Amino acid sequence: MQPRIPRQSAGEQPVGPCVDNDAGLSAELAAVISGARRRAVRDGDRQIDTAHLLHSLLEHDPEVRDVFDDGPEIARLLGYLVQRSIGYGLRWQGSVEDSGAVPVVAQADGLSPLAAGALGQACGHAAARGAESAHGIDLLAAIVVDPQARAAEVLHRAGIETAAVLTRIENRQAQSRWSSR
């Protein structure tokens, strides 16, 4: 049986946003993308969407988990994300995540338009910081920007405002820049 979201050989990588084996992503973020791909296949979804990315970020990236309160927020988020395949997320199956708010990007195999755009934005955030590769925190910032993203809906259902998440990310990055001087 063919997987729903096939892996591509190195020569078949799409042009456009950086993808999991692209030099624009850190090794940790490449693992996050792989985890999101497995979750999408397991959930029976046609594409990796921003909720898959959020779930994988929370599971694999301690820096992303540190953005949220240790106990209650993480528990609520993971609770909603786990329910996705058995509850409210079923309405997402068979539909493409695309709010139209993100500029059109080149088709990235297996990614929803919003997820592909978020990966491109994450690489842009990293480049703006002068980093060689994007990290999970860059992707988190990119997936919560669009209020129509499935990740933003999950955050909202968990009682977490995306504006607060972006502020926390900015504060962490400002502290990091300050302490590195």
Side-chain angles (χ1 to χ4, degrees):
M1 183 169 110
Q2 290 286 347
R4 292 176 191 254
I5 303 173
R7 295 279 300 160
Q8 294 179 328
S9 67
E12 299 177 284
Q13 290 299 323
V15 176
C18 53
V19 291
D20 55 352
N21 66 346
D22 192 311
L25 300 180
S26 65
E28 296 84 8
L29 192 51
V32 165
I33 305 301
S34 293
R37 179 178 285 113
R38 286 188 300 276
R39 184 163 301 285
V41 169
R42 189 171 42 243
D43 290 349
D45 295 329
R46 293 181 340 184
Q47 296 180 320
I48 298 167
D49 64 26
T50 58
H52 292 121
L53 293 172
L54 176 61
H55 199 161
S56 194
L57 281 166
L58 290 169
E59 288 178 334
H60 297 288
D61 193 321
E63 187 179 15
V64 167
R65 281 191 303 275
D66 286 347
V67 170
F68 300 97
D69 292 339
D70 284 336
E73 284 186 344
I74 296 283
R76 283 193 313 266
L77 275 173
L78 289 174
Y80 278 105
L81 289 163
V82 167
Q83 289 178 23
R84 169 197 177 111
S85 63
I86 59 172
Y88 75 91
L90 289 176
R91 66 187 163 82
W92 291 338
Q93 285 185 337
S95 66
V96 175
E97 178 188 39
D98 183 13
S99 70
V102 177
V104 175
V105 295
Q107 179 78 19
D109 187 52
L111 296 169
S112 73
L114 281 177
L119 279 171
Q121 289 176 358
C123 291
H125 290 169
R129 275 199 329 269
E132 290 182 23
S133 60
H135 293 272
I137 201 80
D138 299 310
L139 182 56
L140 178 62
I143 65 175
V144 301
V145 169
D146 189 333
Q148 300 302 311
R150 292 175 182 169
E153 182 178 337
V154 169
L155 286 165
H156 176 73
R157 287 180 177 264
I160 303 167
E161 295 301 319
T162 55
V165 172
L166 289 170
T167 299
R168 292 175 192 174
I169 292 169
E170 290 169 5
N171 289 343
R172 290 179 62 79
Q173 290 174 336
Q175 287 175 342
S176 175
R177 281 191 298 267
W178 181 256
S179 64
S180 66
R181 291 183 183 189

